[in-house]
Amino acid sequence: MYPGHIIGTTMIDSEQCPDCGRINEVLSRVGDRWSVLVVISLSQYGTLRFNELKRNLGISQRMLSLTLRELARDGLVKRTHYPTIPPKVEYTLTPMGESFREPVRALGNWALENLAAIDSAREKYDAQAEKLKSG
Amino acid sequence: MYPGHIIGTTMIDSEQCPDCGRINEVLSRVGDRWSVLVVISLSQYGTLRFNELKRNLGISQRMLSLTLRELARDGLVKRTHYPTIPPKVEYTLTPMGESFREPVRALGNWALENLAAIDSAREKYDAQAEKLKSG
DNA sequence: CTGTATCCACACGGATACTG
DNA sequence: CAGTATCCGTGTGGATACAG
């Protein structure tokens, strides 16, 4: 997939991280931030309409439309369309989408728990960098 | 952070997903694919040098440099520089970096377990879309 | 209300060359 | 070996207008 995987000639090559390629692939699919946030939102409220999700996440129409289409295509989200006037479309998680909640929640929890620590580390790092620059 | 969060005036507003903004923020930091792959690699091998990581992941010099700097700044990775000739720099996970392994591994496992199901869902979706187009 | 289409700015990220 | 600097193509994603 990447030249580096082929060119590597020493003891470190693709064999040392055989899953990196596939993990990379899946993360590119469902790992982007909008997908994750949509899944989190749906997992919290069960069923949401298009504009509810839109307002809820602060996402643009375009990106929400694209994200939902991809999630539906990947089988994580079920789309239910009511041909009324005005139209009404509801989104909910499929069983596979539900199963995705668990790892996503783990990631979200870690994020929230370590947000402060990361901020602190950044401050320290920046202060140190500043000192090195002036010193 | 996003206009939508402020503009929302009906029953659905930022209060319904209060963490979305912050989760979004953290995911933007450590959720990108190179960061995740670097953490996975370091968690597998403990300590790696710059070029080892580079060959291992098939990442460009530029992106690896940027990614490692951010990870060090966020306190996930520890950088150890040996001022020898030629220079030698080793990277390893900090305790916080170690704690990140768990949610990342959960996500990676889910990804691997559901890759086939996703592919299958896509095929079905695409076939259906094709049928609708022609019919 | 639920989208699609178009335009456009900007960040991501690879290739290449250069430095210590 | 371990980076930094530069160039530049591409994708991401918002704004806007329009359609069903």
Side-chain angles (χ1 to χ4, degrees):
Chain A
M1 189 186 298
Y2 291 94
H5 282 156
I6 302 158
I7 296 171
T9 51
T10 52
M11 64 290 181
I12 306 275
D13 56 51
S14 60
E15 211 167 319
Q16 289 223 15
C17 188
D19 295 336
C20 278
R22 310 194 73 195
I23 291 175
N24 198 335
E25 186 186 348
V26 175
L27 288 181
S28 306
R29 290 178 173 180
V30 293
D32 73 288
R33 69 146 157 280
W34 292 131
S35 294
V36 168
L37 291 179
V38 164
V39 168
I40 289 176
S41 240
L42 288 179
S43 79
Q44 279 181 339
Y45 303 110
T47 299
L48 287 174
R49 300 178 58 174
F50 186 88
N51 269 359
E52 288 175 337
L53 276 166
K54 181 168 178 298
R55 283 192 297 267
N56 202 352
L57 302 179
I59 183 178
S60 69
Q61 241 173 5
R62 176 183 135 86
M63 287 317 296
L64 180 56
S65 178
L66 292 174
T67 300
L68 285 172
R69 194 191 303 159
E70 274 312 292
L71 286 175
R73 182 166 178 247
D74 288 348
L76 296 176
V77 159
K78 177 173 167 53
R79 196 185 111 113
T80 309
H81 175 245
Y82 300 93
T84 56
I85 294 179
K88 173 178 169 182
V89 182
E90 287 182 346
Y91 294 93
T92 183
L93 292 180
T94 63
M96 180 156 68
E98 292 283 345
S99 78
F100 190 47
R101 288 174 57 182
E102 189 59 28
V104 164
R105 215 158 42 84
L107 196 68
N109 283 343
W110 185 93
L112 292 176
E113 284 167 13
N114 290 273
L115 218 160
I118 290 180
D119 282 334
S120 163
R122 289 198 157 193
E123 277 182 40
K124 218 165 89 182
Y125 183 99
D126 292 345
Q128 185 65 20
E130 192 58 33
K131 226 167 69 183
L132 287 176
K133 207 169 70 177
S134 65
Chain B
M1 187 187 297
Y2 290 93
H5 282 156
I6 303 158
I7 296 171
T9 52
T10 52
M11 63 289 179
I12 305 273
D13 56 52
S14 59
E15 211 167 318
Q16 289 224 15
C17 188
D19 295 336
C20 279
R22 311 193 74 196
I23 291 175
N24 197 336
E25 188 187 346
V26 174
L27 289 181
S28 306
R29 292 177 172 180
V30 294
D32 74 287
R33 69 144 159 280
W34 291 131
S35 294
V36 168
L37 291 180
V38 165
V39 169
I40 289 175
S41 239
L42 288 180
S43 78
Q44 280 181 340
Y45 303 109
T47 299
L48 287 175
R49 300 178 59 173
F50 185 88
N51 271 358
E52 288 175 335
L53 275 167
K54 180 168 178 297
R55 282 192 298 267
N56 202 353
L57 302 180
I59 184 179
S60 69
Q61 239 172 6
R62 177 182 135 85
M63 288 317 295
L64 180 56
S65 178
L66 292 175
T67 301
L68 285 171
R69 195 190 304 159
E70 275 311 293
L71 286 176
R73 182 164 177 250
D74 289 347
L76 296 176
V77 159
K78 177 172 168 53
R79 197 187 110 111
T80 309
H81 176 244
Y82 301 93
T84 56
I85 294 181
K88 172 178 170 183
V89 181
E90 287 181 345
Y91 294 91
T92 182
L93 292 181
T94 64
M96 180 157 66
E98 293 281 345
S99 79
F100 190 48
R101 288 174 56 183
E102 188 60 27
V104 164
R105 214 159 41 85
L107 197 66
N109 283 343
W110 184 91
L112 293 177
E113 285 168 11
N114 289 273
L115 220 160
I118 291 180
D119 282 333
S120 163
R122 288 199 157 192
E123 277 181 40
K124 217 165 90 181
Y125 183 98
D126 292 345
Q128 186 64 20
E130 191 59 33
K131 227 166 71 181
L132 287 175
K133 207 169 68 177
S134 65

